[in-house]
Amino acid sequence: MPTIAVDAMGGDFAPEEVVKGVAQISTDTEIDCVLVGDESRIQTVLSSIVYNPEKIRIQHAPEHIGMADDPKVALKIKRQASMVVAAQLVTQGEADALVTAGNTGAAVLACVQTFRPIRGVKRAALASVYPRQIEYPGQDQLALLLDVGATIHCEATELVQFALMGSAYARRVSKVPSPRVALLNMGSEETKGGDALVDAYQRLRRASDVNFIGNIEGHDLAKGKADVIICEGFVGNVVLKLLEGLAELVVDLAGTAARENWRWKLGLRVLESGFGKLRDLTDYAAYGGAPILGFEHLLIKSHGRSTARAVANAIKVAAKAVRDGVTREIASAIEQGA
Amino acid sequence: MNRRLSKPPVVGPHPVVFSWDLDKTYLKSEFDSLRELVKIPFEKPEDKIAVPGVVPLIRNLRSQAATAGRDARVFFISASPPQIAKAIKDKLALDGVEYDGITFKNQLQNIVRGKFRNLREQVGYKLTELLRARPSFPAVAREVLFGDDWESDPIIYSLYGDILAGNIDHGEIRGILEIIGVDPALIAEAETLAEPIAAIDAVERIYINLERRTPPKLFEHFGARLVPTFNYFQTACCLFQDGYLNLAAVVEVASHLVASSGYTPLRLSNSLADIARRRHLNEVTTIAISEYMHAKGLLPLPRRGRSERQPLWQRIRRWLRSRPKRTVETLQPRPAINYHELIAEWRQAR
C-alpha cells in the first residue's frame, strides 16, 4: 500500500479538516499517511475523532506557509514549513506522494526545489479534472484540463509535453486506452491562436503516440469531444475558476428563485435529486485535487477550501496514481515523444 | 467523606490480579445485529476468535509473574449466560490460556424474575461481581483491569477502583448507581459488598480496548489510571512500562499481530508513536521498545533514500527530541472523578 505525505497545515481549514480527512482514510482504506505539521495541534484534533493510529504517522514541522504568503519568500525563510518537510519525506522515500491544500504557488515551487523533474520535461503542469457530457456509454464523466496554473505562458514544446503527460495520466488513472487530446483555442482551424498554438498543433498532428483530435473552442469544453484538453496555465486557470463560479451561480440562482416564487420552489423540490446529482458532479470535493505533473514524484494539490471529504478524496487520487505508476508512464511517454 | 487512601505496603513483588472482560476484549464477538447475537450460543469453541494479540499477552502476564515469584491471578467476567460457559471454557483451553476464575451472568434468572432491563445493564452486575471477588484476593493485591469501549467498562472499572481506594463513600455509591439506572437490589448488594473492604488504592491500571475506535479524548476525564488502547501491542508496551512484561513479551505480542492479523512493521511503529504521543508511555520506555523491536526486525527498515544512513531507533530518538517540549513526561493523576458529570458526558457522547 502506498504511503501518502499530507501537509496538515495547508488550506483554509487546516489542520482540523485535513486531519479529519486523513482519519477518515485511516479507518476506511488501507492507505498509510504521514501527517506533517504541528504535532500537538494534530494530536489534539486526532484525539477527538475516530481514527486508526496504525495507518497514521505524524511528522512534526514547526512552521507552515500561509495562503497569502509570497511563495518565493516563504520557501526561502520557512525551511521547516510543513509543505517543505512533506516534500522532503517524499524525496527521501518515506512517502510515495504528497497531498496539500496549501498555497498553490508554494506547492509548485516546493516541487521545483525538492523533486527531480522527469528527464526531458521542460515545465511542470497542474492538471485538473472537470465534469463534461458523455458521448458514449462507459465514457469517463471527467475530462482532464492542463495546465491550470503551474506555467503561466507556454511555448509549443511545453504544450506538446503537456499533451504527452496528460495523455499518460488519463491512460493510467481514467483507464482510457487512447485518450483523445485537444488544444483549447479560439477556433477549430489549425492556423488559429498565435505561433505557439499553431506550432503545437502541427507537432501534435504528427505525433504518433498522441491521439490528437485538433483544436476545440470554449463551448466544446463541456461536451465529451476530448478526454485531455491542453492550454497554457493562464487560460486553464481562468477556465477552471469560471467552471467553479458557474456551478455556484446555478445553485445560487435556483435558491433565489425558490425563495421568490412558490411554483419554482415546488418545481425545484421535484427536481431535487437531479440538482443533487448536478451539485455532486460540480463539487470539487468529490475530485480531491489536481496533480502536478512533470516530476519524478507526484503532488496532488487540493482546493484551498478543502473539507475533510476533499482531503480524503485527494489522498485516494494520490494513492491510485502511485499504484497505477503514473510518473513511470509519463516518463516513458516523454522519452518516446522525444 | 473519603476514607484513607494508600498504596498497599508490599515487600517483594506484589500480588496482582488481572481481570478481563470477555466479549470485545478477549473475544472478537460480533453482536452488532440480532442475527449475530442469535448465532453466538451456537458457536463452537473453534469458531470463536480471540482479539489479535490477547492470547500471548495473557500467557506472558502469567509466565512472567511466575518467573518473578509474583502471585498473579487471571479472572474473566463475562456478561454471557452460563449456558455458553462450556464453549467459552473450551475456547480458552484451546488458546492455552490458564485462568483462576470465570463468572457468567445469570440471564435466565433475570428473565424469570421479569428483570428484563438487567439483561442489558452491566454496571450493577460487573461491579457487584468485582466487589464480591475482592475479599478472596490477598489484601495487598493490586489489580489491572481489561475492558472495551463497547458498553460501560470504563465507568464500571473506574467506579470499582475508586470504591476500593475510598474515594467514594457509601452514600455516593447509591447516588451514582441510581443515575446509571442500576437495579435497586444490585445497588443494595454493591453497598453491602463495599462496606467491609479496607480502603486501598489497588486498581493500578484500566486498559480499554478501543474496539469501536472511540476518540481517546472521551476518556480524559477518567484520569491517567485508564489507558485507551487501539491494539494489544499498545497495551503490552504500557504493561512493560509498569513492569508486568519484559521486552521479549512485547515482541511476542507484536509478532503475533504480524503473523495473524497482517500488521506491518510500519503499523507497529505508528502504534508505538501514537501511544507515546498520547503520553501513556515515557520517552525512556519508547526508546527501549524501539531499539529492541528494531533489533528483532519488527520495526520498519529505512526505505530507499537518505534516511538509510541512520538506524531507525536513532531516527525515533531524534523524533522524540525534536517534538515540542512538555512540562510533564507522561499523564499525571487527575483529581477525583466527578461521576455525575462523567456519566452525563459519556451518555451524551454515546
Side-chain angles (χ1 to χ4, degrees):
Chain A
M1 267 295 143
T3 302
I4 309 299
V6 182
D7 171 14
M9 313 308 286
D12 292 345
F13 308 122
E16 287 77 12
E17 290 297 317
V18 181
V19 175
K20 283 178 187 170
V22 169
Q24 198 181 314
I25 285 290
S26 76
T27 55
D28 299 352
T29 74
E30 286 299 310
I31 302 166
D32 293 298
C33 291
V34 187
L35 268 166
V36 187
D38 184 326
E39 188 191 273
S40 63
R41 287 184 69 188
I42 293 170
Q43 185 58 43
T44 304
V45 180
L46 266 186
S47 290
S48 62
I49 55 177
V50 174
Y51 73 104
N52 181 352
E54 291 149 20
K55 296 178 197 160
I56 300 174
R57 177 185 144 195
I58 299 178
Q59 176 68 49
H60 180 64
E63 298 170 312
H64 74 274
I65 297 170
M67 298 301 274
D69 284 354
D70 179 281
K72 273 186 189 167
V73 177
L75 282 173
K76 199 172 177 183
I77 297 169
K78 298 176 179 176
R79 309 297 298 171
Q80 291 296 305
S82 53
M83 193 188 284
V84 177
V85 174
Q88 284 167 351
L89 287 179
V90 176
T91 54
Q92 286 167 5
E94 295 193 32
D96 300 298
L98 166 61
V99 169
T100 180
N103 185 316
T104 306
V108 175
L109 211 55
C111 285
V112 172
Q113 290 181 2
T114 321
F115 295 168
R116 212 175 354 201
I118 287 172
R119 196 185 171 89
V121 170
K122 286 186 73 181
R123 304 293 287 266
L126 186 59
S128 181
V129 289
Y130 70 92
R132 46 88 188 262
Q133 279 179 354
I134 293 175
E135 280 199 341
Y136 56 89
Q139 189 182 17
D140 195 337
Q141 185 91 61
L142 305 170
L144 189 73
L145 177 71
L146 74 166
D147 171 38
V148 293
T151 305
I152 305 300
H153 296 293
C154 303
E155 295 169 7
T157 311
E158 289 151 5
L159 290 171
V160 172
Q161 288 194 340
F162 291 174
L164 291 166
M165 293 196 293
S167 196
Y169 186 85
R171 269 197 305 274
R172 286 287 172 173
V173 176
S174 307
K175 308 290 181 202
V176 185
S178 181
R180 291 169 303 172
V181 179
L183 276 171
L184 181 61
N185 207 328
M186 52 187 284
S188 59
E189 300 84 356
E190 59 189 87
T191 51
K192 287 279 175 74
D195 294 344
L197 280 168
V198 172
D199 190 10
Y201 186 102
Q202 295 304 329
R203 290 206 224 171
L204 284 170
R205 201 176 58 174
R206 290 196 299 271
S208 58
D209 39 6
V210 175
N211 180 12
F212 182 60
I213 59 162
N215 288 334
I216 60 165
E217 295 178 75
H219 59 77
D220 291 325
L221 277 171
K223 295 173 187 167
K225 278 187 176 176
D227 302 304
V228 179
I229 293 102
I230 305 302
C231 58
E232 59 180 16
F234 180 83
V235 175
N237 196 275
V238 171
V239 168
L240 190 70
K241 297 286 162 65
L242 179 68
L243 289 171
E244 277 180 20
L246 279 174
E248 283 172 17
L249 179 71
V250 169
V251 174
D252 189 53
L253 280 175
T256 308
R259 275 193 299 275
E260 288 178 2
N261 188 321
W262 69 268
R263 288 187 192 88
W264 268 88
K265 193 171 190 172
L266 194 67
L268 285 170
R269 187 57 61 88
V270 173
L271 295 170
E272 201 171 2
S273 67
F275 271 107
K277 279 183 186 169
L278 183 68
R279 197 168 44 238
D280 290 347
L281 202 59
T282 53
D283 182 6
Y284 64 85
Y287 311 126
I292 296 183
L293 304 177
F295 296 100
E296 284 185 352
H297 303 288
L298 199 67
L299 183 144
I300 301 290
K301 170 67 186 74
S302 50
H303 204 291
R305 286 181 283 155
S306 283
T307 57
R309 179 167 164 251
V311 172
N313 283 328
I315 294 168
K316 285 181 192 167
V317 168
K320 182 172 162 52
V322 170
R323 273 197 303 263
D324 293 346
V326 164
T327 50
R328 279 196 308 275
E329 180 80 9
I330 290 174
S332 158
I334 293 290
E335 197 182 340
Q336 284 169 22
Chain B
M1 200 176 79
N2 286 351
R3 288 178 288 167
R4 177 179 57 85
L5 180 68
S6 66
K7 283 276 177 195
V10 178
V11 179
H14 54 76
V16 63
V17 176
F18 301 109
S19 295
W20 289 80
D21 170 56
L22 208 67
D23 290 316
K24 306 275 185 189
T25 304
Y26 181 88
L27 288 176
K28 246 183 142 175
S29 318
E30 300 291 344
F31 44 74
D32 302 2
S33 66
L34 187 65
R35 192 179 164 185
E36 287 166 342
L37 195 66
V38 169
K39 253 174 64 183
I40 289 177
F42 304 103
E43 278 179 353
K44 292 176 186 164
E46 56 271 26
D47 296 334
K48 294 187 180 293
I49 299 165
V51 178
V54 72
V55 172
L57 183 73
I58 299 180
R59 281 195 204 141
N60 273 288
L61 283 172
R62 276 194 89 102
S63 65
Q64 291 192 21
T67 310
R70 173 182 282 146
D71 173 10
R73 302 176 194 184
V74 174
F75 288 89
F76 287 96
I77 304 176
S78 172
S80 302
Q83 286 74 15
I84 61 165
K86 189 180 180 306
I88 288 172
K89 285 176 181 174
D90 287 350
K91 168 64 182 167
L92 290 167
L94 207 63
D95 289 342
V97 170
E98 293 175 23
Y99 56 93
D100 301 277
I102 184 162
T103 310
F104 294 95
K105 190 176 179 184
N106 196 340
Q107 298 285 39
L108 199 61
Q109 196 180 58
N110 283 324
I111 294 170
V112 169
R113 291 180 181 174
K115 296 195 168 183
F116 298 107
R117 197 183 142 72
N118 284 6
L119 293 173
R120 294 212 56 172
E121 200 288 304
Q122 312 298 357
V123 179
Y125 159 69
K126 280 193 181 172
L127 183 64
T128 50
E129 289 305 326
L130 287 164
L131 289 168
R132 202 190 318 280
R134 179 68 200 178
S136 64
F137 305 151
V140 292
R142 294 191 192 163
E143 297 193 41
V144 181
L145 310 171
F146 299 85
D148 58 75
D149 60 345
W150 199 253
E151 282 170 323
S152 308
D153 287 345
I155 290 176
I156 298 166
Y157 289 162
S158 296
L159 204 52
Y160 172 65
D162 282 339
I163 290 172
L164 291 192
N167 293 335
I168 298 172
D169 63 29
H170 293 154
E172 273 185 277
I173 296 175
R174 173 165 288 275
I176 293 165
L177 294 180
E178 276 174 355
I179 293 174
I180 297 170
V182 175
D183 181 59
L186 285 172
I187 295 177
E189 197 180 351
E191 282 181 316
T192 311
L193 290 165
E195 184 67 42
I197 292 174
I200 195 164
D201 192 8
V203 174
E204 203 170 85
R205 203 71 76 193
I206 296 165
Y207 290 101
I208 295 298
N209 177 38
L210 296 176
E211 213 273 338
R212 294 175 86 173
R213 302 202 183 286
T214 303
K217 191 178 170 59
L218 198 61
F219 299 94
E220 275 180 6
H221 293 301
F222 289 93
R225 179 175 58 187
L226 188 143
V227 183
T229 56
F230 285 95
N231 53 48
Y232 279 114
F233 168 61
Q234 290 190 333
T235 312
C237 291
C238 296
L239 286 163
F240 162 68
Q241 183 170 257
D242 285 351
Y244 290 115
L245 292 178
N246 62 16
L247 284 169
V250 176
V251 162
E252 201 181 319
V253 173
S255 305
H256 186 267
L257 293 178
V258 171
S260 69
S261 303
Y263 274 67
T264 60
L266 176 69
R267 290 184 179 175
L268 289 173
S269 166
N270 288 343
S271 291
L272 178 63
D274 174 75
I275 195 80
R277 270 197 314 270
R278 290 194 283 122
R279 297 162 66 191
H280 294 294
L281 280 189
N282 62 38
E283 295 193 4
V284 174
T285 310
T286 310
I287 290 170
I289 295 170
S290 312
E291 286 180 14
Y292 192 82
M293 288 194 51
H294 177 66
K296 296 287 174 188
L298 275 165
L299 281 191
L301 289 167
R303 295 173 72 177
R304 61 195 183 277
R306 267 179 263 168
S307 51
E308 265 179 285
R309 292 171 201 158
Q310 214 172 24
L312 186 85
W313 63 269
Q314 281 183 13
R315 286 164 51 212
I316 289 175
R317 183 146 64 184
R318 195 187 60 198
W319 163 69
L320 285 167
R321 285 179 178 160
S322 73
R323 291 185 310 159
K325 294 282 173 277
R326 299 191 179 99
T327 48
V328 286
E329 202 172 50
T330 48
L331 289 171
Q332 297 300 299
R334 282 172 175 267
I337 297 172
N338 181 335
Y339 282 93
H340 296 272
E341 279 180 14
L342 190 142
I343 291 162
E345 196 177 85
W346 183 258
R347 278 183 174 162
Q348 196 180 5
R350 308 315 290 263

